[in-house]
Each structure stands twice: as C-alpha cells, then as structure tokens.
Amino acid sequence: MFDVSSVREIEYGASGVTYVYQDHDNPKLWYMVPVPRLRTLDGAPSFGMTEYTSNGGGIAGLCTFEMELVQPLEARRAAEEILGSDISWGGFVWVGGTAYFYYDIAGENEVLAVEPTLYGTNVAAFQIELATPEAVNSFKNAFSGDEGGASTFRVEYEMQVLTKLLGAKATVIYTAEAAIEYEKKYKTVRDTWGNQKQVLQEVKQVLRQSGAGEVKVELGPGSSDELAQRVRDWGWTTLENQVADTVAAAAVMATGPNPVSATTSFNQTYQEDTVIDWSTPVSSFMRRFSPDEWKQVFTKVDNRKLSVVFNLIGELNRSGTDDPVAETVTVTVTYPTRPTDNTFTLIVTDGDQSSKIYDAPGDFSGGSYNPEFTYTYVINFKDGKTFKSDPITTTDTLVNITPNVFGTRQVTFIGQNIPFSGPAGVREVNIDFFFAPPAGNPAIVQTKTLTANGAENGVRFDSFYNLPIGQNYSYRLRYQMADNSEIVSEPPGALSSAPDYTGSGNADIVFVADPKGLFTQFTLRAFNYTTETTTLLLVDVNAQYFDPVNNGDKWIAENTWSNWQPTGLLSFAEPRWNFQAVDNTNNAYFNLSGTIFYSNGESFTLDGYRQSSEYKTMTVTNTVQNYSVKVDSSLVDWTQVASVNLTMFQLKPQVREKFGKNVPAFLSRPRHEMTTAQRIEAEASQQNVMLFSLLGAPSGVVVDSLERFYGIQRPIAEPTIEFYYTAVYVLKDGTTRELESQEVSGRLSVELPALPPATVTPGLVRQVMEPGALAARMRQGG
Amino acid sequence: MSPPIPSGSARLQQGPGAAPPAPLPSLQAGAGPAAAVSLLDRLLAAIRPLLPPAVLAPDRLPSDLTPSGAPMEAAFVWADGEPGCDPRVSLDPAPGALPGTRLEAALSLCRAVAGAEPSPEVSRLVARLSCWQRQAGGRYGAWAGLRQSASGRLAAKLYLEVAPAVDAAGRPRWVGFEQRLAGAPPVLTGRNVRPTMLGVTPDGGVLELYYRTDPLFPGDLDTLMRRFGLVPRGREIRRLVERLTGRSVRFEIPSSDVGFSVAFQIVGEGRAQRAHALAFTFYSNAAALLGPDARVTEALLAEGAVRGWDMAAYRHALSGSGAPHGEAPLQRHGLVGLVLAGKASARVTATLAAFGQSREACHG
C-alpha cells in the first residue's frame, strides 16, 4: 500500500508532470500515477471534429475523442533518475474515478466530466457539441496550427484508490445549526434541492459561507504543508458528499420546506492508518495536430450528423483478476438515414475496445433535425450464453452500458477503525449481504466474516450472473463483541439519495466503522405559517430513542423540551439533543409524547408518536398534525422470503385531486430507476418518502420480527389521513411478489402478509383513515 | 490601486426584518490603548469633521453599503515588502435616502475634500449615470471614498451606481460606454459580466469600472485581463485563493459572489481622449469565499504572518467589534481581493465594516 505522505512530483519530456508514491513498507517499491493520453486506434488518433456549414440542427460543430491512462516510459526514466534505478514499480487498483476535459470557448473556461472504465487503460470518451461558429473556431485553434506542440486544452483524470491516511489525522465536521441559520438569514426559497448534482453545488456554498463545514487536519511529525492541503482537499470532498447525501435524503423525505433545516450535525475523525479512498488527480495538455493529421481528423459537412458514444463503464473484470465478465457486446442502432452497417461490437476482454462513436447523417425528413434513435445490445458471455436487451429509444448522445446489465456486482467491506482488540473490543464482524438476483436464480442472504481492518483484510461479495440485475443491495453488520454480546448495525435502504447518479456502481466499497459511539443529534423544529390564523403557542415534548435489536424494549436516551414557545416562521427547540448510539437507522426509532397547544385554545396530543431514526428531525407545524404508522412484519414467512422492500409515501395536497385514484405506479420505485420525466413528476407530487429494507437471515440465524415506524402528517384542514405503500417480496427461489393494488381503511398500521399471492395484480396500496375512525383511535389512545 | 468596491450587494440578500443599524465606529484617534498608532484611526480622525450629520445620527437607517448595515467600511491593502496597509474608507453619506439624495451628498463630500468642483467630464458622467439611475430605479446612487496621502492630505473618490437602464431596443445603456472605455469587444459572454459601479476621481484622471460576474475559472480571469491589454495573471489569483482557503482550486474559483474592477487612466482631451488600463482587481464576497468573520480573519492573519504584512490596523479595527444590543454580530468583512497593477507585485485587499464599541462612542 502506498504512503500518501511520500508523494513526489516528476517532470518529464517537454512539459509532462506526474506523481509517484512510495510503498509504505518497501522503500524500493514506488507507484506512478498514470497520465492521460489521446488514444490511438489502428495507428490513427481517436479524434474527430466536424464543422456544419449550413444546417447544424442547432449546433455548429461536434468534437469527439477518447483518452486513456498510460505510464510514459520517459516518465519512468525521469523518476528512476531521481529515485534510483534499483526501484520497482507497483500498480494502483482503482475503485472509482472521473475524467475531466478542460477547454475554453473564446477564452471562457468549461469543464466536461465523464466516467472512465475501471479496467484496461481506463478509456474515457468525450463528445462536445459546439453551439456556435465561435466555439468551432476555438476548437480548431486549439487542436490545429502549423506550430504543433501542446494545445491549451487539457484532460484530467481523478482516480480513486484505497490507501491509509498516513502522516495526518483529519476531522470533518458539519454543524447543522450554522447551516440552518445561514439559510434563514440569506435565502428562504429554494427549488433546487433534491437533485444530487445541484445539491452538491448548493451544499458547497452553504458549507463554506455559513461556516457549517469544517475540516481539521493535524499533521504528524515531519509531514509537509502540501500533504495538509491534499488531506484537506480530501476531507472537504468527503464532507461535501456526506452533507449532500443528507440534504438530498431530507428533500425526498420532505416533511416541510427547507430540507437543510431537517439536517442534523455530525462529525467524524479519521485517525492515522484509517483506510480511505484517496484521489490522484493528474492532467496533461492535449496536442495540436500537424496539418497532415488535421486533414484526417477534421471534416466539414453541410448537415448535422447523429453522433453517439457507446461506452462500457465500471469494473468488468472479476475482482483481483484479469478475467472479464463477458466476451463482447454487440450493439445495433436503428436510425432512418443509415440503413446498413448499424451493428458494431464492444470488446470486454481487453478493455481497449470498450467504446465506440457511432455516427450517421442527420435525419431532417421531418423538417428539423431528428435526434431520436433506437438501439439494442446483445451481451455474449464466456459460456456461450447471450442476453439480448429490449429496444431502447432515446436522444442521449452518451450511452453507458453499466455492469449491472452483465449481472455483475462486486462489493467489498473494509474495516476502517474497528477496535479488534481489548476486552471491550470486537472479535469479528459478520456481514449479511443481499441483493435481488435475476428471476429464476436462488436468492439468499450471504454471510461473510471480517476479522481485521485494512484493505488487505477486506471481505468481498461477488456476483456474476449472465442476466441483468438491479442496482440496489442491502446489508446488515453483526458485530460479535469480545464479551460475547452482539451489536447489530443496519443502514436504511438506498432510497434515492442520488437521483442523477449515472455511475457504474458495481465495484462499491463499504467502510465498516467502530459500532459504538456514533454521535447522534435529534432536532425538534416548528413552522408557524403566517397564512394561518391559528399559531403554535406552546410545545411540550418528551423524546426517547429505542433500538430494540440492540437494547430490547428499553430506551437508550431521553430528552424533554418543556414549555417551548416556537417563534417566527421556523424555530428550533433548544438545546439540541445529542447522544451516542449504535448506527442502526434501519430499525431504531424515536418515540415522542407530549402536547402541542394552539393559539385558538385547542391542543393536540402526541401519543407515543414514533418515527424511524433515519429521520432525525421532528417537525411540528400549525398546519399539520403528526401520527405514526406501525409496520408489522411478524407475519412474513422468512422460510420462503429472503427480503422485503417496503416503500411508503404521501402525496402533496395539490396533486391528490389531479391523480384521483390513478396514482402512477412508478412512484413506488427508487428515483434512480425512474426516467427523467418521472423523477420530475415524483419530486412534484411525493412527500415523506421512506424505504424500509427488511432483510431475512442467513441459514441458522433467526430473523428478528422488528417493528418499523412511519411518521405521517395530516393537514389540519383535511380530516382524512392518507398514505401509500408498496412491498416487493424477493423469495429465496429468486421470484418476486408484490402487494395487490388495493385500498385499506380504518387502520394506522400496516401488516405485511406472510407472502402475497402469486396471482394478484401488483400495485400501490392506498390506506386511508376517516375522521370518525381517527377520532375513535385518539380517544382510545387517551 | 484604488479603494475596493463597497459590498452592499450582500445586504440585498437579507429579507425583511433585517437587523437594526450597527453603531458607528469610534472616530476618536486614541480611543483605545493601541489606537494611537493605527493608520486607519488617523484617517478616521482626519475625515470626521467632513462627515455629513446623517452618518453620525444615532437613529439613522441601516445602510446597504455593508452587510452589517454600517454606513462606513474600511479597506486595507497589503503588499509584500511594503509598510503599512494603505487604509481607505468608503461611506454612505445619507443612509437610507433616495439614490439622488445620496448622489448629491457624495458629491458634496467630494467637493469639500477637493476644495473644488468636479471636472466638467466628471459632471457629465454624473449626469449620465444619474439619468440611468432614475430610469432603472437606482439602488443606492453613490458612495464616497476617502484616503490619506503620506503628507496627510485627504483625497476623495466618487462611486456611482451603474444602473441597468436599457434603450428602446432593450439593450443596456452601459454597453457603448463600457466598450469605449475597454477599447475592445466584450469577452466571456456566458459569464454574465456586467458593470455595476464606476469610481472616479474628482479631476476625472482615473476611472475605475467595477463588474460583477457569475462564478469564474482562473483561466477566465486571464481572458478578462487580455481584453483590457493587461498582463494575464490569473494564476496569482488562483494561488491566493488556494492559500486563503487551504484547498486546491481545480475548477471554478470557489465563491458564488465574485467580481472585478479595472482602473483606467484617462489621457488626452475631447476626441483624442483615451483610456489606458492600469490595474485589474479580483474581488470576492469574503463570506462566500472564506465563510464567517472568524474564518476570514484567521485566513488573512495567517497569510499576513507568512508574508510579513503590517496587520496592526486591521487587528485594531477588528478589536473594535461588538454586537449591538447583545445580538449576534452580522458579517463585518465585505470583500477580499487581489490588486494586479501591470507587472507590479500583487497586493491583497480586504474590507471591514466599521463597528463601534458602543452607540455612545459615536457621539463623542
């Protein structure tokens, strides 16, 4: 494993720069960060530029090219001159990465990011639509000219590799109060939350400007300022991504406006020796083509053409080997102007032919440029089997064929700072892992055991089917403690924190941390909407935290806010409630009791209101009242069932009438499985979305029949409570069954059946509670 | 090169019910134990007799010159190897008044300092920009800037709001004026580059045009500097930002609120009049780049310590801060920036809203 504190800059050739790292244990072993280079195919540069002279269909030109990562011999020689000729070279194992193309149009800088493959030479294909003649000229000037030499445009690869944090300790801190204060002070309206990329941009600004984000780096003896900056860069990226995930999740679960105010504080310290995913950014300038070469790569045509990049991305080798998961992918495109030669092959086996730029003359038969085409692909597996996709019609100019369609997934669990020693330490960690296999394949909860920290001791779950699989998986960590007790930590289901996520996501790393002492914060907030004449006057609330699987039926922490008088539009009960607990958000919950008094003399009793600990904010308002729904899974027949995914949501008031009884079925799916149009509709119509992932047990382990709780909101003006849910059962034989589309009334609980019948029409369950039943229940509850 | 752009824009982002105006600074040199040595205090003492009563009034309205509502803002300029901090002050001569009133008040102050009427060219500029302000509904109209030479002589600068007035075709009226001044066609058309303020010395010898833009890449700054015939030095701005933030800048400069100014020397007369760009200054809202006051202070003091700047006046001004009525203080830092004049060494600038020790102090 390389030592991050040993980085050295190596200059080579006319203007090349790269970096080398020394191995932590072997001083003669070094690692060189490979540098980007334009690919060459059959002796020709993989580069093309087209200028449209008359009808560009909205654009004036197009530039496409492919890059790859290489270790130039001259860079090695330059390094060996400095480090000694007796050194040897190790190789990085990438766990993720992004390639960036930096260019400018008339002096205005732009950046385009794409995902390279994680195998072979990490090919990245770029396609840039040039909107104006000015943009075309900028590209022509950058890539051509008699003088040759380097272009002003450059490509940077930022690849992630696992290593240890050496020579420094880092703490990332998010102080929600500061972010909320900033939001209140500077902006009261936001409409961009909920989109991952936009969230990240907003989060960066909020974290910086509010002071809510902080990264502390403590350097070890002899460490350089340069290391401090690199660690700080890493820490900020880590923090920004964590907060973006939190905000995006809060936006999806939305139980009120302003999701930032529903976030809670956290801090995390990464000690020296902690395994982290380290970035290795390295860039190189592209080159100008000689006049002869330019004639080959530059064309001028009348009309716009269709140009689509087809790309295999992600890790398509079996982990730790060079054994590819398939042989080839044959793609066939249908587009009106190109009747023949529409099939081409992407080759998985060597990683070098993992992308193809398909083009065809533009179709203007309808009077304007037609960007829509259809494609199918056939995966040819090594065992001779094939899989043919359904036809896919799209206007995308970048088509990524992701590893899940090959049926491959490789998830590695790595101990980060688990105390594997001492009388109060951890003996081992059993990891229960599950995902839904392709139909017809047995579905089982696999279990493997982790006994030491570090990448070299990681535990990997591989799956290689010859049929597509979904992108989701779930897991449960069972820490076996030295005193023979057990601590269970189970994250919630992957709801939709990354709706714009387009990555391959098959070679995931899950870092496993110390099970104890997670800092937890709970926030009680109130909205007093000025549109209402009745306001919140006083709130008395007692909150308890329960984690039944780890602590039985006793609460772990408790807090009381008495006589709190909410003020203004948004206010928070102080002080915030902080405590430490096991990270078990899948099935731990908060239990809240108390009374909310209104200015009109009425009151509302929170009678054992419970909500999942995934959501660490309780919102009271003068427009809604809170109830909880108990989810009873005790009837599920775990002898036949491997996993149940239960998705629950409410509709925003303004869309209830629009949908009527025809609520779209796609609303039950994770947002990353929706189309763009569906996602937009989901964001506009859903609120309070929760996904409960119920995992069966491996052979010999009894499944705990844990209750889950879903907190719901009833508008005071609307006497009826209404919510929707759907449950997908994955059976051990690999088949799936879903609940029947139906309406249930009169209950504030959901009883999951042992097994839905195979013959029902699957769909959403609409559950309602009429005013009379609700009043009776409230009377019963006291 | 010239006083930094006032940072009143941040004030606009606050909603209704903004905090009450901050108390005025103590203008008494020697008010504190270390104050006697402060260059800023010396400047403040010199300008005090000239200040309009509205600035000193205890019940004045909050000013939109600064995020804190203070009507006065100090600017510090530091350079490696140069003593002092070249302090200067920007002020809102009539807090809360209409743009036209503030423009008149600022002009009066400039007259008082210069002891003469502004030049005819400046008067024509004032009339022109005032017309735009009336057409487009100006926000503040004008500020006044004051600085002190080594001999103790005061110099004034008038800051005029460039309002977004448009002609019959919907084209901003500033377009022709700006292009004549720049002497070259616009660049970075996708970055929403627009002039927002014009600084002018009363004799009309130096004009400084202040722009706001969408977020910029360091390379964009080179493009801007080239347009004005200046040496491209975007790399220095990138390095300063990296040092202040402690992070690498790989994409845009990490601030949502940035701008720049270009100072021009005006030579010749009539049709032969030409503008030569002297300096380019990059600005960012301090909070947008570095965060709350404590972090801005920490970053500036750390950079100053490494580069040997004289931070005494800045430290002293900071120590005068205090939250009115026990409330959390609003952001005091307005802008941070880097001044790049020709091939001269870069100079770092920061502005700080003037906060007083107490309301009573401003009566003294």
Side-chain angles (χ1 to χ4, degrees):
Chain A
M1 183 166 285
F2 70 94
D3 180 347
V4 296
S5 65
S6 68
V7 64
R8 301 272 293 267
E9 187 174 287
I10 300 293
E11 293 181 356
Y12 65 94
S15 59
V17 175
T18 188
Y19 303 91
V20 292
Y21 292 89
Q22 192 172 32
D23 189 79
H24 181 246
D25 302 315
N26 178 358
K28 292 292 181 187
L29 179 60
W30 288 79
Y31 302 82
M32 175 175 285
V33 181
V35 294
R37 181 182 72 182
L38 184 66
R39 285 186 78 198
T40 302
L41 290 175
D42 302 326
S46 178
F47 182 98
M49 183 162 162
T50 310
E51 181 175 358
Y52 303 127
T53 54
S54 56
N55 193 338
I59 61 173
L62 187 74
C63 182
T64 54
F65 62 91
E66 292 175 306
M67 300 295 289
E68 62 183 352
L69 282 179
V70 293
Q71 290 191 357
L73 268 180
E74 57 183 338
R76 281 198 174 189
R77 285 197 199 105
E80 285 166 7
E81 277 182 23
I82 297 167
L83 306 172
S85 56
D86 58 341
I87 63 166
S88 57
W89 293 103
F92 290 114
V93 178
W94 307 125
V95 296
T98 309
Y100 302 93
F101 174 45
Y102 292 79
Y103 62 100
D104 73 78
I105 293 172
E108 191 167 310
N109 287 218
E110 304 286 349
V111 181
L112 176 66
V114 303
E115 185 181 354
T117 61
L118 291 181
Y119 60 99
T121 53
N122 308 108
V123 173
F126 293 91
Q127 173 154 274
I128 306 99
E129 292 185 353
L130 303 168
T132 62
E134 191 179 34
V136 171
N137 283 335
S138 284
F139 271 62
K140 284 160 78 173
N141 293 336
F143 287 117
S144 66
D146 292 339
E147 68 271 34
S151 162
T152 53
F153 294 0
R154 66 188 173 93
V155 168
E156 177 177 283
Y157 271 67
E158 183 183 33
M159 303 298 285
Q160 272 87 47
V161 58
L162 291 179
T163 188
K164 283 182 178 175
L165 185 59
L166 295 171
K169 177 178 126 178
T171 303
V172 298
I173 301 162
Y174 172 60
T175 308
E177 293 88 331
I180 293 161
E181 195 55 35
Y182 167 82
E183 289 278 300
K184 279 170 66 183
K185 195 186 299 177
Y186 289 90
K187 277 190 179 175
T188 53
V189 178
R190 286 205 189 280
D191 56 8
T192 55
W193 301 105
N195 179 300
Q196 174 75 357
K197 285 172 185 167
Q198 288 176 14
V199 164
L200 188 55
Q201 288 304 314
E202 295 282 1
V203 161
K204 282 181 180 176
Q205 189 56 38
V206 170
L207 287 179
R208 192 166 46 235
Q209 189 150 346
S210 67
E214 191 173 2
V215 174
K216 291 181 178 171
V217 176
E218 289 178 42
L219 287 180
S223 295
S224 65
D225 288 345
E226 188 186 346
L227 177 70
Q229 179 156 323
R230 284 172 170 259
V231 173
R232 207 174 289 115
D233 286 343
W234 168 82
W236 272 103
T237 303
T238 303
L239 178 62
E240 286 162 357
N241 287 331
Q242 284 182 8
V243 177
D245 286 348
T246 306
V247 173
V252 173
M253 290 191 272
T255 51
N258 192 345
V260 167
S261 72
T263 61
T264 51
S265 305
F266 63 80
N267 69 64
Q268 190 166 1
T269 296
Y270 297 87
Q271 304 286 351
E272 274 201 68
D273 290 343
T274 301
V275 178
I276 56 169
D277 44 354
W278 187 254
S279 286
T280 59
V282 63
S283 69
S284 60
F285 286 98
M286 298 180 72
R287 68 183 176 89
R288 279 197 168 89
F289 297 100
S290 69
D292 283 345
E293 286 177 311
W294 187 245
K295 284 179 196 159
Q296 303 298 316
V297 299
F298 176 72
T299 52
K300 202 182 255 193
V301 297
D302 282 349
N303 288 330
R304 179 177 181 175
K305 62 181 180 180
L306 174 77
S307 179
V308 184
V309 176
F310 286 88
N311 215 12
L312 303 177
I313 60 168
E315 177 57 84
L316 291 177
N317 281 340
R318 288 174 185 257
S319 304
T321 74
D322 291 329
D323 191 17
V325 298
E327 294 281 350
T328 59
V329 180
T330 306
V331 182
T332 301
V333 182
T334 307
Y335 188 68
T337 61
R338 188 165 159 175
T340 60
D341 195 21
N342 283 313
T343 298
F344 55 90
T345 300
L346 302 172
I347 301 177
V348 185
T349 46
D350 64 6
D352 283 345
Q353 297 184 58
S354 58
S355 66
K356 165 80 178 175
I357 298 166
Y358 171 91
D359 53 28
D363 169 31
F364 288 83
S365 58
S368 59
Y369 173 69
N370 168 22
E372 193 172 271
F373 62 96
T374 299
Y375 71 95
T376 58
Y377 58 87
V378 178
I379 299 175
N380 304 295
F381 291 99
K382 293 185 80 173
D383 59 4
K385 291 181 179 168
T386 59
F387 168 78
K388 184 175 182 182
S389 76
D390 290 332
I392 301 155
T393 299
T394 179
T395 59
D396 290 345
T397 54
L398 174 63
V399 174
N400 282 330
I401 298 175
T402 52
N404 64 301
V405 305
F406 293 83
T408 177
R409 169 170 291 115
Q410 302 171 65
V411 181
T412 305
F413 289 77
I414 294 172
Q416 208 168 30
N417 56 353
I418 305 168
F420 276 116
S421 61
V426 176
R427 201 173 65 241
E428 61 186 27
V429 185
N430 290 324
I431 303 163
D432 298 333
F433 183 83
F434 178 80
F435 66 93
N441 288 274
I444 55 167
V445 178
Q446 305 173 65
T447 299
K448 292 186 178 179
T449 303
L450 186 70
T451 56
N453 290 317
E456 64 279 15
N457 301 307
V459 167
R460 189 166 61 229
F461 292 86
D462 297 332
S463 59
F464 303 102
Y465 294 99
N466 292 349
L467 288 166
I469 54 176
Q471 297 215 359
N472 285 345
Y473 54 87
S474 51
Y475 62 89
R476 171 172 53 214
L477 306 171
R478 291 183 286 119
Y479 295 83
Q480 310 303 311
M481 308 303 287
D483 64 1
N484 290 326
S485 62
E486 182 181 73
I487 292 177
V488 176
S489 172
E490 190 173 349
L495 182 65
S496 51
S497 61
D500 272 359
Y501 182 67
T502 54
S504 50
N506 71 317
D508 286 1
I509 304 289
V510 177
F511 290 116
V512 183
D514 185 345
K516 289 183 177 174
L518 177 81
F519 171 81
T520 299
Q521 185 178 61
F522 183 83
T523 297
L524 178 62
R525 65 173 181 167
F527 283 98
N528 243 324
Y529 293 104
T530 52
T531 50
E532 305 300 311
T533 50
T534 300
T535 58
L536 292 167
L537 202 63
L538 194 72
V539 177
D540 282 322
V541 166
N542 169 268
Q544 296 169 324
Y545 179 76
F546 286 87
D547 183 357
V549 74
N550 287 312
N551 209 53
D553 55 5
K554 294 177 187 162
W555 55 262
I556 293 172
E558 182 184 41
N559 193 61
T560 299
W561 293 276
S562 297
N563 297 323
W564 173 44
Q565 298 174 47
T567 54
L569 169 65
L570 171 61
S571 56
F572 298 85
E574 301 289 355
R576 310 298 165 96
W577 176 30
N578 301 321
F579 59 95
Q580 292 191 319
V582 173
D583 183 9
N584 191 29
T585 41
N586 188 289
N587 42 50
Y589 62 87
F590 294 101
N591 182 72
L592 296 109
S593 297
T595 309
I596 297 161
F597 299 93
Y598 302 96
S599 61
N600 63 358
E602 294 186 359
S603 64
F604 176 69
T605 302
L606 279 174
D607 176 29
Y609 167 81
R610 294 174 176 188
Q611 71 177 35
S612 165
S613 68
E614 184 185 354
Y615 200 50
K616 295 180 173 59
T617 298
M618 161 78 174
T619 305
V620 295
T621 85
N622 58 338
T623 58
V624 300
Q625 292 177 342
N626 301 66
Y627 301 85
S628 54
V629 176
K630 184 173 79 175
V631 176
D632 181 356
S633 62
S634 63
L635 296 177
V636 175
D637 179 4
W638 293 111
T639 63
Q640 295 191 68
V641 176
S643 161
V644 179
N645 275 344
L646 171 68
T647 305
M648 308 182 78
F649 64 91
Q650 293 185 276
L651 288 180
K652 291 182 179 173
Q654 59 269 32
V655 297
R656 271 188 222 138
E657 206 169 308
K658 173 184 147 192
F659 287 149
K661 294 201 169 180
N662 299 314
V663 178
F666 69 79
L667 291 177
S668 65
R669 296 211 305 272
R671 290 198 179 161
H672 63 250
E673 288 183 9
M674 296 179 188
T675 65
T676 304
Q678 289 173 338
R679 261 202 321 263
I680 290 168
E681 184 156 3
E683 282 167 13
S685 56
Q686 276 181 309
Q687 63 181 10
N688 198 16
V689 190
M690 289 285 286
L691 170 63
F692 293 99
S693 176
L694 282 60
L695 192 57
S699 176
V701 177
V702 177
V703 180
D704 286 307
S705 286
L706 298 171
E707 292 172 343
R708 268 85 168 174
F709 297 95
Y710 176 55
I712 58 172
Q713 300 184 313
R714 175 181 71 86
I716 291 173
E718 263 187 54
T720 303
I721 287 181
E722 181 188 74
F723 61 96
Y724 294 83
Y725 61 93
T726 181
V728 179
Y729 287 59
V730 181
L731 274 58
K732 290 181 176 176
D733 64 6
T735 58
T736 59
R737 295 199 193 168
E738 296 184 34
L739 296 182
E740 182 178 14
S741 175
Q742 60 189 294
E743 185 159 320
V744 176
S745 62
R747 291 204 311 246
L748 265 186
S749 61
V750 169
E751 278 97 39
L752 292 173
L755 194 61
T759 53
V760 299
T761 306
L764 288 167
V765 180
R766 175 175 179 263
Q767 192 153 329
V768 292
M769 192 152 189
E770 302 296 345
L774 185 62
R777 183 187 179 279
M778 296 307 286
R779 278 196 300 276
Q780 189 183 4
Chain B
M1 183 65 206
S2 302
I5 180 173
S7 53
S9 57
R11 183 76 188 170
L12 276 186
Q13 294 177 324
Q14 292 179 238
L24 279 168
S26 166
L27 301 181
Q28 293 175 300
V37 297
S38 165
L39 295 167
L40 177 61
D41 278 352
R42 214 171 293 154
L43 173 62
L44 291 172
I47 67 173
R48 186 179 180 281
L50 302 169
L51 290 180
V55 177
L56 298 171
D59 56 348
R60 62 181 166 75
L61 293 167
S63 169
D64 42 13
L65 173 70
T66 62
S68 66
M72 196 179 301
E73 186 177 59
F76 305 88
V77 184
W78 298 285
D80 299 358
E82 284 183 21
C85 61
D86 195 10
R88 59 280 306 267
V89 161
S90 303
L91 64 91
D92 178 352
L98 292 170
T101 308
R102 286 201 259 194
L103 177 54
E104 282 307 319
L107 267 172
S108 295
L109 193 59
C110 289
R111 280 191 204 101
V113 171
E117 284 294 320
S119 72
E121 288 83 2
V122 171
S123 296
R124 279 196 291 274
L125 262 180
V126 169
R128 190 176 188 187
L129 269 64
S130 175
C131 176
W132 296 354
Q133 290 172 10
R134 285 195 300 276
Q135 188 198 32
R139 187 165 66 86
Y140 58 85
W143 319 121
L146 297 162
R147 62 190 299 188
Q148 197 171 25
S149 68
S151 64
R153 190 165 167 271
L154 280 179
K157 191 171 177 182
L158 182 65
Y159 295 100
L160 298 162
E161 178 184 1
V162 179
V166 293
D167 61 18
R171 202 172 70 132
R173 292 195 180 275
W174 52 257
V175 169
F177 168 75
E178 195 269 344
Q179 283 202 37
R180 274 194 297 281
L181 201 56
V187 294
L188 306 186
T189 50
R191 297 283 191 258
N192 195 17
V193 179
R194 70 275 188 196
T196 56
M197 191 169 73
L198 178 72
V200 56
T201 53
D203 65 0
V206 175
L207 294 185
E208 187 164 12
L209 197 52
Y210 296 82
Y211 299 78
R212 294 192 71 185
T213 78
D214 287 352
L216 296 172
F217 286 78
D220 293 342
L221 294 164
D222 287 341
T223 305
L224 288 168
M225 289 180 225
R226 284 194 193 95
R227 180 193 179 207
F228 299 104
L230 293 164
V231 180
R233 297 171 66 179
R235 184 176 289 190
E236 292 174 61
I237 294 165
R238 173 186 178 152
R239 284 186 183 151
L240 174 74
V241 170
E242 288 186 333
R243 285 196 303 273
L244 291 177
T245 60
R247 302 176 60 185
S248 305
V249 175
R250 294 175 51 220
F251 304 104
E252 298 101 324
I253 293 168
S255 171
S256 61
D257 192 353
V258 294
F260 66 93
S261 76
V262 181
F264 299 91
Q265 186 157 35
I266 308 299
V267 291
E269 289 184 355
R271 289 182 177 276
Q273 196 174 68
R274 293 287 180 272
H276 293 296
L278 299 172
F280 180 96
T281 304
F282 165 79
Y283 294 111
S284 169
N285 178 304
L289 183 70
L290 298 169
D293 277 324
R295 294 201 188 175
V296 181
T297 302
E298 186 185 0
L300 288 173
L301 291 178
E303 181 71 3
V306 169
R307 296 170 63 172
W309 297 337
D310 179 357
M311 310 289 278
Y314 172 70
R315 284 179 189 276
H316 180 60
L318 282 171
S319 67
S321 67
H325 310 300
E327 293 179 10
L330 290 162
Q331 188 89 11
R332 286 193 66 199
H333 287 86
L335 300 163
V336 291
L338 190 70
V339 187
L340 300 162
K343 292 182 179 174
S345 297
R347 296 191 291 161
V348 173
T349 182
T351 68
L352 192 67
F355 249 56
Q357 283 108 343
S358 68
R359 278 184 174 274
E360 285 67 34
C362 67
H363 297 297

